[in-house]
Amino acid sequence: MEYRSQKIAYWYFAAALPLFALQILLGLYLAYSYTFTVPQSIVNVFPFATARAMHTNLLVLWMLLGFMGGTYYIVPEETKSEIYSEKLAYFQLIALLATGVAALVGFLFGWTQGRPLLEIPRPLDLVVVVGALIFLFNVAITMIKANRWTAIQGTLLGGLVFLALLYLFGIPFYKNEVIDWYYWWWVIHLWVEGAWELVSAAIFAFVLMKLTGVERQVVEKWLYVEIGLFLFTGIAGTGHHYYWIGAPRYWLWIGGIFSALEPLPILLMLIDTMMHVKERKTPIVNRLTWTYAVGCAIYHMIGAGVWGFLHTLPQINYYTHGSQVTVSHGHLAFFGAYALLNLMTFYYAMPRIKGIEVYDDTRGKYGFWIMCVAMMLMGLFFGVAGVIQSYVERVLGMGFMTAQSYMRLWMGSVFFVGLTFLAGVLLTVTDLLTLRPAKVRA
Amino acid sequence: MTKKIAFWIFLLGTIASAVVFLAATWDTHKQVATLSNVDKLSDRVVAGKRAFEKYNCNDCHTILGFGAYYGPDLTRVVQRIGEDGVRFRIKDPEKAFAKSFRKMPDLRVADTEIADMVAFFKWVGEVNNNDWPPQDSKKRLSRGEQAMVATVGVSPGAAVFQAKGCMNCHALRGTGGTFAPALDTVGRRKTLKEIEQYVRDPKSVNPKAQMPPQKELSDRELEEVAKFLSSL
């Protein structure tokens, strides 16, 4: 750690980690509900819907905390200056956590906006907006005052501003369900295939540059090409969500063509990661951080690139839309693109903040491999369930619950592999929160 | 490639995609009124949407394919199970899903809210959304009917006639039920259009008719069965 204010990041990461574990716990309840019968008396007070709202909002919350922490870690080194106000940064962390907790408890009592992933009630949305403005202000002022612009800084700030702006489209009440979904995707899709990709590409480029010692010029050149392709394919690629919502027919063409190209930037990212690692100018210390970086690039490609491509064409999507195929893709993509990226950042930054030069990575290694293998299996089982659903319900027209009964075995398998995944997560979370120096080998 | 060229790739790529996207968005707004029948988007439908959101229905069910996948899609729920079917399931889920291995919560939804939600589902069901979901498509023959056409070599209409149980009441060449008239010469007495009208809603043609209206036939099935009968 070179700058005092980088320590802010530690608290963002430390807050994110338990939320990650809680997210998985709720996910297990969801998988359980798919497989076994939850009695009516429990369903009445704690419905699947509530657990799902918590599962997804926890995901967004811990990942945003990770991105913000990552930003607070990177910006001082990039701008060669301290963060403008540490107090504001801590205040914003507390405000965000308080909002998050209020929202989660609110869900338990049915306080919700009632729109998937955007369940946070409107009054709390305003607090989120204020928090985001404080964050952007703090980061932007730091960069402007330092006036040492780099492509990484620009991408990071651009991504964060874009992220905040898009959130606004999720706040109003839309009378027309078609328009509602139209703008819902401006938040959801343009976040994960736009703003979030910018933020994470910037973070990834920074970590890769620092790890491998490859020159800034080379890293930033690749960064431009990647984010250019991400936005070129991602913005108009939003159209793949407009096939069946009552939007004009040309969206089948726009969505089909642009989203077929969406794997390209991810592939490029994978190639340049491999190249940078191969042409590294520094020795590999803390092998686990490197493993995370490469693992993230590969998993990102599989989950977001390959799995997304598989059902993005309208002819296929007509049968798989809104089925467990989507769930399979969602899990692999979020884990690959964002969970691993955040964990990589944590493993890069947390030892440095704590002043540990070489950390003991025994537990962390097990954590990484258990999570990666378990998630891959979960993705496959969701996928099998999804294909069964698409065929039995959509092609054969045999009815929803008939299809669900054939899928039960696979959803049950998801539950049991999910238990393993939770073990991996707990191991990783504990490891990150209690990092210790590696024993010197004699 | 220099960093400068890379920057231009980024800038032009982003602008090009944004232009396509925003232009299509503008046009979508112009067309959406027709595609979603905005003239039928009444206050009641909007109230139904609010109730739908109040009870967080969308975190178990999909609508237009989006939401959670725990319960069935609700896009064409009124067409699939009827207004009464929707009311019964929301009002008394414990009874409605007594035999199901998956339960729906009893959220004590008020009767007026249920009525609003029915109006909302009815409106959504009429949105022109490229005929999704496939299981509720009006253009399809059931899988059993398709198999008969493909393997036994019967006409699609004959397959519908067989599969939908018309012969439980009607007979052809002495085979079938005796509860209703034999249909051996129905094609000479009625035109295709008349048959379609009768099958869909018998009472509209003959107020004393005892035949139940065949509401669950898809448009394609109705068309095919009428074609078959009118050829007799």
Side-chain angles (χ1 to χ4, degrees), chain A residues 119 180 183 232 250 318 395, chain B residues 17 27 29 49 59 131 140:
Chain A
E119 291 92 345
D180 193 332
Y183 287 106
F232 177 72
Y250 52 69
Y318 184 65
V395 178
Chain B
S17 193
D27 185 73
H29 269 283
K49 185 173 184 286
D59 259 330
D131 203 29
R140 62 189 276 164

Side-chain angles (χ1 to χ4, degrees), chain A residues 33-40 43-44 47-50 52-53 110 112-117 119 122 151 173-183 185-186 190 217 220-221 224-225 227-228 231-233 235-236 238-239 241-252 254 258 317-319 321-324 326-327 391 393-397 400-401 404-405 408, chain B residues 1-3 6-7 9-14 16-18 20-29 31-33 35-36 38 41 43 45-46 49-50 52-73 80 93-94 97 100-108 120 123-124 127-135 137 140 142-143 146:
Chain A
S33 307
Y34 265 103
T35 319
F36 306 102
T37 299
V38 183
Q40 186 78 40
V43 168
N44 284 348
F48 179 92
T50 306
R52 199 226 188 208
T112 171
Q113 197 185 116
R115 296 159 73 217
L117 310 185
E119 291 92 345
R122 292 189 173 87
F173 174 82
Y174 299 95
K175 284 184 178 178
N176 188 325
E177 185 73 6
V178 176
I179 298 291
D180 193 332
W181 286 124
Y182 195 89
Y183 287 106
W185 284 110
W186 281 41
L190 289 176
Q217 290 301 321
E220 292 197 334
K221 185 175 80 184
Y224 273 135
V225 179
I227 59 169
L231 291 175
F232 177 72
T233 59
I235 295 176
T238 316
H241 300 292
Y242 297 160
Y243 297 161
W244 325 115
I245 66 167
R249 224 181 146 71
Y250 52 69
W251 282 111
L252 299 178
I254 301 179
F258 279 88
N317 192 260
Y318 184 65
Y319 294 101
H321 175 53
S323 73
Q324 295 293 330
T326 314
V327 178
Y391 188 68
E393 188 194 1
R394 279 83 189 278
V395 178
L396 296 184
F400 181 81
M401 284 311 288
Q404 294 291 319
S405 66
R408 243 171 133 173
Chain B
M1 185 174 60
T2 63
K3 195 170 157 188
F7 175 76
I9 291 178
F10 154 69
L11 198 66
L12 291 176
T14 307
S17 193
V20 171
F21 187 62
L22 292 174
T25 296
W26 182 69
D27 185 73
T28 299
H29 269 283
Q31 291 199 39
V32 100
L35 289 166
S36 67
V38 167
L41 185 64
D43 290 346
V45 172
V46 176
K49 185 173 184 286
R50 284 192 191 276
F52 179 73
E53 290 174 3
K54 175 176 165 193
Y55 294 103
N56 207 18
C57 309
N58 217 175
D59 259 330
C60 279
H61 295 276
T62 47
I63 193 157
L64 294 168
F66 299 121
Y69 320 103
Y70 194 60
D73 184 78
R80 198 186 312 137
E94 191 164 359
F97 300 101
S100 170
F101 70 85
R102 194 166 293 170
K103 307 294 178 190
M104 170 163 158
D106 182 353
L107 297 169
R108 311 232 164 82
F120 170 62
W123 174 82
V124 172
V127 169
N128 179 357
N129 69 337
N130 295 326
D131 203 29
W132 194 91
Q135 64 267 33
S137 170
R140 62 189 276 164
S142 78
R143 200 66 174 176
Q146 286 175 27

Side-chain angles (χ1 to χ4, degrees), chain B residues 90-126:
Chain B
I90 305 177
K91 185 83 193 157
D92 197 351
E94 191 164 359
K95 213 160 147 197
F97 300 101
K99 288 186 192 149
S100 170
F101 70 85
R102 194 166 293 170
K103 307 294 178 190
M104 170 163 158
D106 182 353
L107 297 169
R108 311 232 164 82
V109 186
D111 286 341
T112 48
E113 288 174 321
I114 296 180
D116 293 342
M117 272 197 251
V118 168
F120 170 62
F121 293 140
K122 224 171 139 181
W123 174 82
V124 172
E126 284 166 11

Side-chain angles (χ1 to χ4, degrees), chain A residues 82-161:
Chain A
E82 297 286 352
I83 292 290
Y84 170 71
S85 165
E86 282 179 58
K87 272 191 197 137
L88 270 183
Y90 285 117
F91 170 76
Q92 180 229 329
L93 171 65
I94 293 164
L96 189 59
L97 276 179
T99 317
V101 172
L104 291 168
V105 174
F107 294 160
L108 288 173
F109 297 96
W111 193 36
T112 171
Q113 197 185 116
R115 296 159 73 217
L117 310 185
L118 302 179
E119 291 92 345
I120 295 184
R122 292 189 173 87
L124 287 182
D125 275 340
L126 296 177
V127 187
V128 174
V129 170
V130 173
L133 286 176
I134 295 175
F135 173 67
L136 289 177
F137 170 79
N138 211 358
V139 173
I141 290 287
T142 311
M143 288 181 183
I144 292 166
K145 274 180 74 175
N147 201 18
R148 286 172 195 273
W149 292 98
T150 61
I152 290 178
Q153 276 180 60
T155 309
L156 192 58
L157 186 63
L160 292 169
V161 171

Side-chain angles (χ1 to χ4, degrees), chain A residues 196-210:
Chain A
W196 285 32
E197 291 279 13
L198 289 187
V199 175
S200 60
I203 295 177
F204 198 71
F206 174 83
V207 174
L208 209 58
M209 181 175 78
K210 295 281 169 171

